[in-house]
Amino acid sequence: MTKKQKHTGALSEKEGVTPLPAVSPSVAKKIQEKRKSAPSVTQLSEAILQGDKTALSRGITLIESTAEKHQEDAKALIKACLPHANSSIRIGITGVPGVGKSTFIETFGTLLVEKDLKVAVLAVDPSSSVSGGSILGDKTRMEALVRHPNAFIRPSASGDSLGGVARKTREAILLCEAAGFDTIIIETVGVGQSETVVHSMTDFFLLLKLAGAGDELQGIKRGIVEMADAIVINKADGENIKAAKLAKLEFNRALHLYPPKESNWTPKTLTCSALTNEGIDAVWEMISLYFETVKNNGYFSEKRNQQNKFWLLQTIENTLKNEFFRSPKVKKAMEAQLALLSNNKTTPFEAALVILSMR
């Protein structure tokens, strides 16, 4: 009598039991065919203009692609959507990791969709400097908001972008606006680098802070606080309420040390708890007052023009940089200079001049 082969896995089936397919072959075939049949740019743009979220996701994926074969299609898509864009308000939200950005955005976004606004959240996740990968878990953390028909959440990897802003976030904003979203929220990584990039693509810049984190007096230093249109002390609940109120006073004092803004808007400091939904209404009232102020005094349009100029120069700089490093002569010179650097036969500055002379 032969011995039966032992099962090596804990989930092995008993002999004689036929496993059922997870997906029927016909359904699997339809899914594969649908994935293979990529829509044309015209079809994609028409679907985006009709508010199709699936098409919007595919459009953002297209413009984020670094493949050369996708570049022309991405340009055509943006050109088709541009006449229908620039009709939203853009809110940038930043803060250190752990400040509760995702929880705040979900609670805040839920408030807005309940007011019949259409909210798109462009959440930027940090990329690993080792593997280059990202978790992209914002949809999971915003599970209530993501199910609402008037909400769209798109996580993107920051890649090597300073300040935690994905390379194509600017273009993604335009596609979201073309899809009919009137409120765009950009959540940054909050790593403290080049937050000017976030400021340059949003109309309102919100800085989330924590009470008792030891950085209340950092508000007197120039930097990210100077760019903020409002500071909100989050997690003002339970035993932390008193500390949050003290932090609010400290930041209010610090804000008085800064010169007046071009917008004639005086930055505000508020407290809230995204967890208990306390103070979120006040934050939206303050933001609404800001937009009423800057639209009446003309600063809203002026800032949009400044942003367009900034992104014109930024696009030229990025294009020249990409073309430079793709040059075969530059690649060859780079390899040679790196070899010399390894042998201490040149300096980084001399090597850079040699490589730049190849352009």
Side-chain angles (χ1 to χ4, degrees), residues 122-188:
L122 301 177
V124 185
D125 265 13
S127 294
S128 169
S129 59
V130 179
S131 66
S134 294
I135 296 176
L136 303 178
D138 291 276
K139 277 193 172 184
T140 304
R141 288 179 291 186
M142 303 179 195
E143 56 181 353
L145 182 60
V146 75
R147 292 195 299 266
H148 200 284
N150 281 349
F152 172 80
I153 300 176
R154 170 71 183 210
S156 299
S158 63
D160 57 0
S161 300
L162 289 177
V165 181
R167 184 175 59 90
K168 294 292 186 178
T169 303
R170 166 79 177 182
E171 286 82 358
I173 291 173
L174 300 177
L175 295 192
C176 290
E177 290 175 338
F181 290 94
D182 47 42
T183 307
I184 314 294
I185 298 175
I186 303 173
E187 177 196 358
T188 71

Side-chain angles (χ1 to χ4, degrees), residues 127-352:
S127 294
S128 169
S129 59
V130 179
S131 66
S134 294
I135 296 176
L136 303 178
D138 291 276
K139 277 193 172 184
T140 304
R141 288 179 291 186
M142 303 179 195
E143 56 181 353
L145 182 60
V146 75
R147 292 195 299 266
H148 200 284
N150 281 349
F152 172 80
I153 300 176
R154 170 71 183 210
S156 299
S158 63
D160 57 0
S161 300
L162 289 177
V165 181
R167 184 175 59 90
K168 294 292 186 178
T169 303
R170 166 79 177 182
E171 286 82 358
I173 291 173
L174 300 177
L175 295 192
C176 290
E177 290 175 338
F181 290 94
D182 47 42
T183 307
I184 314 294
I185 298 175
I186 303 173
E187 177 196 358
T188 71
V189 174
V191 292
Q193 294 178 314
S194 188
E195 296 294 347
T196 305
V197 179
V198 189
H199 190 258
S200 68
M201 65 173 70
T202 56
D203 307 309
F204 186 91
F205 193 51
L206 177 64
L207 174 62
L208 286 180
K209 284 283 189 177
L210 285 175
D215 63 350
E216 285 85 350
L217 293 179
Q218 297 298 319
I220 65 176
K221 295 183 179 180
R222 297 191 178 277
I224 189 172
V225 176
E226 187 175 20
M227 293 187 291
D229 296 303
I231 298 174
V232 174
I233 316 296
N234 193 24
K235 300 187 180 182
D237 46 49
E239 296 179 356
N240 206 34
I241 293 178
K242 183 177 179 181
K245 290 181 178 179
L246 289 174
K248 176 183 175 181
L249 290 173
E250 292 290 345
F251 279 113
N252 268 331
R253 292 181 187 134
L255 289 172
H256 285 297
L257 299 174
Y258 292 103
K261 288 181 172 288
E262 294 180 18
S263 59
N264 292 325
W265 167 260
T266 303
K268 316 292 183 187
T269 306
L270 298 176
T271 62
C272 79
S273 171
L275 192 63
T276 62
N277 202 9
E278 295 288 334
I280 303 298
D281 278 318
V283 174
W284 174 240
E285 288 173 6
M286 173 195 60
I287 293 175
S288 299
L289 178 60
Y290 170 85
F291 281 108
E292 182 182 345
T293 302
V294 296
K295 285 183 178 181
N296 287 337
N297 63 22
Y299 180 75
F300 182 86
S301 299
E302 181 184 338
K303 186 174 182 180
R304 285 286 177 95
N305 289 332
Q306 291 174 359
Q307 290 175 2
N308 288 334
K309 292 177 183 177
F310 174 88
W311 284 101
L312 167 65
L313 298 175
Q314 193 75 20
T315 302
I316 292 172
E317 181 180 330
N318 291 339
T319 303
L320 290 175
K321 180 180 176 182
N322 292 335
E323 290 179 354
F324 176 79
F325 283 108
R326 280 201 299 262
S327 168
K329 290 172 62 179
V330 170
K331 289 179 180 178
K332 186 176 179 180
M334 181 79 75
E335 292 177 2
Q337 293 304 312
L338 285 173
L340 292 173
L341 274 174
S342 299
N343 296 319
N344 292 320
K345 293 183 178 179
T346 187
T347 67
F349 307 103
E350 290 176 351

